[in-house]
Amino acid sequence: MSKTITRQSEDFSRWYTDVVQKAELADYSPVKGCMVICPYGYSIWESIQRELDGRIKATGCRNAYFPLFIPESFINKEKSHLEGFSPECAVVTHAGGEELQEKLVVRPTSETIIYYMFSKWVKSYRDLPLLINQWANVVRWEMRTRLFLRTSEFLWQEGHTAHATYEEAEARTLQMLDEYASFAENFLAIPVIKGVKSDHERFAGAHRTYTIEALMRDKKCLQAGTSHNLGQNFSRPFEITFLDNEGKTQYAWQTSWGVSTRLIGALVMVHGDDRGLILPPAVAPIQVVMVPIWKNDGQKEEIIRMLGGLTTDIKNAGLRVEQDLRENVTPGFKFNDWEMRGVPLRVECGPKDLEEKTVVLCRRDTGTKEKIPLADLTGKCVELMPVIQNSLLERARLFLKENITEVNNKEELAAVLEDKGGLVSAHWCHGHSCEDIIKQETKATLRCIPCDAPTEMGSCVICGQPSEKRVLFARSY
RNA sequence: CGGGGCAUAGCGCAGCCUGGUUAGCGUGCCUGCCUUGGGAGCAGGAGGUCGAGAGUUCAAAUCUCUCUGCCCCGACCA
């Protein structure tokens, strides 16, 4: 393994792969397109899970678990769902040494199997709303894969709900979109744009798809989460019906929503720099790392004792702290190593500090080093956590803002996408052919119709037909 | 599925064109010494079906053929 990672400016894509592997987030598996999530990477996922699971439950959902295998006929029940997913499904044809009577699809998403069960569970309007979430792995046989961003198997949570009215389902769809946006911004320090997908980019089987879009440091966009209003598209084929309070049979109105391990890829690409990962304190598995420095055995003992005391203090203050007592590597190596892993704060403690009753505190996000009196260390660490968290969010917000460009014609749109990159805000007629022309000519896709876009009369940058809102286009992952 | 490339130690590579001692280098790993305030140094050591199969030859990592796998570009894509 080489000592340095590729610079972002040199090759962002290689930088990303280097960081993911060298920070030990993930590794390539022997199975094509699949990845191994390493302990450090998995602890980030656990951190995401813990927080998001709490937020989801707070909205009234309960966790459940549905099978990995779905009867092939289930996938076939909803036409656009089938068309969307069947090309990328892994299918089990044999088991127990025999050919199966009905093939089993390894879930690419669980709408069908969950709604089969919903049809058994929902009988009365009193059973609604039904609010279920599951944490699971799903499989989609992608042609081109990238660690965390698109792998054949990935981990996610998928929420599935059933409601008595369209309005309730729409409200739940938007509620979860807001939860995701709030989670991304406040926990991951990733600012996002909330919006609606075009008909073309809509989830296979959905009535309407909402998205949160984030901008990576290479100015490419990433869909960081989605929330779908499914209408009655699934409740009809799966016969999820209930008797309303007038005794009439009604089909349920449904939603589904999810975020995945892709969020880890977003964390890397939104905050990272040439030294590696930068983790916001809220999500960081290790928030403070303690590095001892010594010249001889006498000092070593004394410094380790002092470090141990400080570590306990910091831990008791509620922070996630770890000591790096490895003896076979130098302090310099450790500095670089922990910077690679994105730990927000590093405490250096050596002979000089012992003498002066201080330590050196180094911030990962700014790189600044500060000499701190021993007595002030814990307080300072606690105080810096929200400061760093906020500083990362503000930095990312500014970057996002600076990289949304309004354009008013096709030439401008192409030029901005080519030279500046980022998101372009343009008028569009809602026609699929215009969307497609832009994709063909600029490789940019329609990311979303932003929820907060003001009404503004204009004309489609391709066909010139009237438009009431600007929408966002960008090249994306 | 179309175009291009690669396959030799855990990882990254050289050797192949022009066949010929015991297949080498960097890094990582192990042991010891010495070091430690920004990726230390020295010494010793372990580690190889040279992707698989067949052929040519006295002799194949090296030449020929077949197969397999992977990577890049395109096409495709929640």
Side-chain angles (χ1 to χ4, degrees), chain A residues 136-361:
Chain A
N137 58 338
V138 287
V139 169
R140 299 178 186 180
W141 220 253
E142 302 286 356
M143 305 289 265
R144 285 176 73 67
T145 55
R146 304 200 60 190
L147 295 171
F148 287 114
L149 301 180
R150 181 175 291 108
T151 45
S152 298
E153 179 190 10
F154 58 91
L155 306 182
W156 75 348
Q157 61 65 220
E158 48 180 324
H160 295 271
T161 69
H163 306 265
T165 65
Y166 173 86
E167 289 71 25
E168 244 186 76
E170 177 69 6
R172 167 57 67 162
T173 310
L174 286 168
Q175 179 187 7
M176 296 320 292
L177 184 74
D178 287 343
E179 286 292 339
Y180 285 158
S182 156
F183 173 76
E185 301 202 352
N186 299 320
F187 195 71
L188 306 177
I190 297 176
V192 294
I193 296 164
K194 291 185 283 186
V196 183
K197 284 293 189 188
S198 67
D199 294 352
H200 184 59
E201 301 271 336
R202 194 169 54 206
F203 173 74
H207 161 70
R208 185 181 295 150
T209 288
Y210 291 93
T211 175
I212 51 170
E213 299 285 326
L215 188 64
M216 307 298 105
R217 290 206 72 79
D218 64 346
K219 301 184 183 178
K220 281 169 81 173
C221 219
L222 182 74
Q223 181 175 299
T226 48
S227 186
H228 315 292
N229 181 339
L230 301 174
Q232 295 179 322
N233 293 350
F234 287 88
S235 65
R236 288 176 184 274
F238 284 91
E239 298 183 66
I240 305 174
T241 58
F242 64 96
L243 290 179
D244 66 17
N245 57 5
E246 290 171 5
K248 275 191 249 166
T249 299
Q250 305 270 6
Y251 285 103
W253 299 87
Q254 296 188 267
T255 80
S256 71
W257 25 273
V259 298
S260 71
T261 38
R262 177 183 269 192
L263 286 176
I264 297 173
L267 272 176
V268 175
M269 291 194 293
V270 167
H271 300 303
D273 65 13
D274 285 346
R275 290 173 171 276
L277 195 56
I278 298 179
L279 288 174
V283 70
I286 301 170
Q287 295 168 313
V288 185
V289 66
M290 316 288 288
V291 178
I293 299 153
W294 60 76
K295 306 272 188 207
N296 57 57
D297 281 357
Q299 283 175 349
K300 178 178 156 187
E301 204 173 305
E302 210 171 334
I303 284 167
I304 286 180
R305 192 172 335 114
M306 180 162 110
L307 209 67
L310 293 170
T311 304
T312 306
D313 288 348
I314 295 171
K315 187 179 261 175
N316 289 341
L319 299 186
R320 298 186 285 271
V321 57
E322 218 167 90
Q323 307 180 70
D324 186 353
L325 300 179
R326 286 179 289 177
E327 301 203 9
N328 53 340
V329 290
T330 62
F333 181 92
K334 292 177 182 177
F335 297 166
N336 285 286
D337 199 37
W338 291 111
E339 278 165 7
M340 174 81 76
R341 290 171 156 76
V343 175
L345 284 177
R346 179 179 71 241
V347 175
E348 304 171 13
C349 176
K352 286 181 220 159
D353 303 295
L354 205 58
E355 205 169 299
E356 299 170 27
K357 301 212 180 307
T358 58
V359 288
V360 173
L361 186 62

Side-chain angles (χ1 to χ4, degrees), chain A residues 41-109:
Chain A
Y42 199 80
S43 66
I44 295 175
W45 180 238
E46 287 177 313
S47 185
I48 289 173
Q49 276 188 307
R50 203 178 311 120
E51 174 70 17
L52 190 58
D53 193 58
R55 292 182 182 224
I56 290 170
K57 284 174 180 157
T59 72
C61 294
R62 291 181 300 165
N63 284 340
Y65 185 80
F66 297 84
L68 171 68
F69 299 121
I70 300 175
E72 192 180 37
S73 59
F74 281 27
I75 303 283
N76 301 343
K77 283 194 181 185
E78 207 286 330
K79 187 167 167 284
S80 58
H81 193 66
L82 168 71
E83 285 167 0
F85 283 106
S86 66
E88 53 187 69
C89 281
V91 182
V92 179
T93 57
H94 290 74
E98 284 179 27
E99 190 169 347
L100 294 169
Q101 285 188 350
E102 179 174 1
K103 292 176 191 167
L104 296 173
V105 172
V106 180
R107 64 181 165 219
T109 177

